[in-house]
Amino acid sequence: FTTPLDEWFQNNLKKETEERLLSEGSACREFFNVEIISRMINDHFEQKEDYKRPLFSFLTFEIWYEQFIKPTDAEFRSRATNAEKEYL
């Protein structure tokens, strides 16, 4: 079973890839060099290079982070702030 990444990136995923990976609050900005990711996106969509697999990996990471880590991180920060208030 192969995924139709070429078709997905040509149609539905182009805008979403740019928005998710390059937005101010993205996990990719926190963990990776976003300038390189931006260059990869541009080169891929201008058909200079084939970066569909790494871009799909970044996109998968971003969605996973949003679903499983970000809510936990926000909850942890909220609890830490509340704990600090209790001691003041």
Side-chain angles (χ1 to χ4, degrees), residues 28-29 32 35 38 41 58 69 84:
C28 286
R29 283 194 178 272
F32 306 109
E35 291 175 14
S38 179
I41 291 170
F58 283 127
I69 302 301
E84 286 177 2

Side-chain angles (χ1 to χ4, degrees), residues 3-27:
T3 55
L5 292 178
D6 287 326
E7 183 180 328
W8 291 351
F9 276 116
Q10 288 173 5
N11 297 317
N12 304 344
L13 286 182
K14 181 179 181 184
K15 185 177 178 182
E16 183 172 359
T17 299
E18 292 173 328
E19 289 175 356
R20 282 187 183 266
L21 301 186
L22 303 178
S23 71
E24 283 299 317
S26 75

Side-chain angles (χ1 to χ4, degrees), residues 58-76:
F58 283 127
L59 190 58
T60 302
F61 169 76
E62 189 69 42
I63 294 168
W64 170 82
Y65 188 87
E66 288 175 9
Q67 292 291 313
F68 296 104
I69 302 301
K70 213 172 205 178
T72 305
D73 187 44
E75 184 179 315
F76 174 77

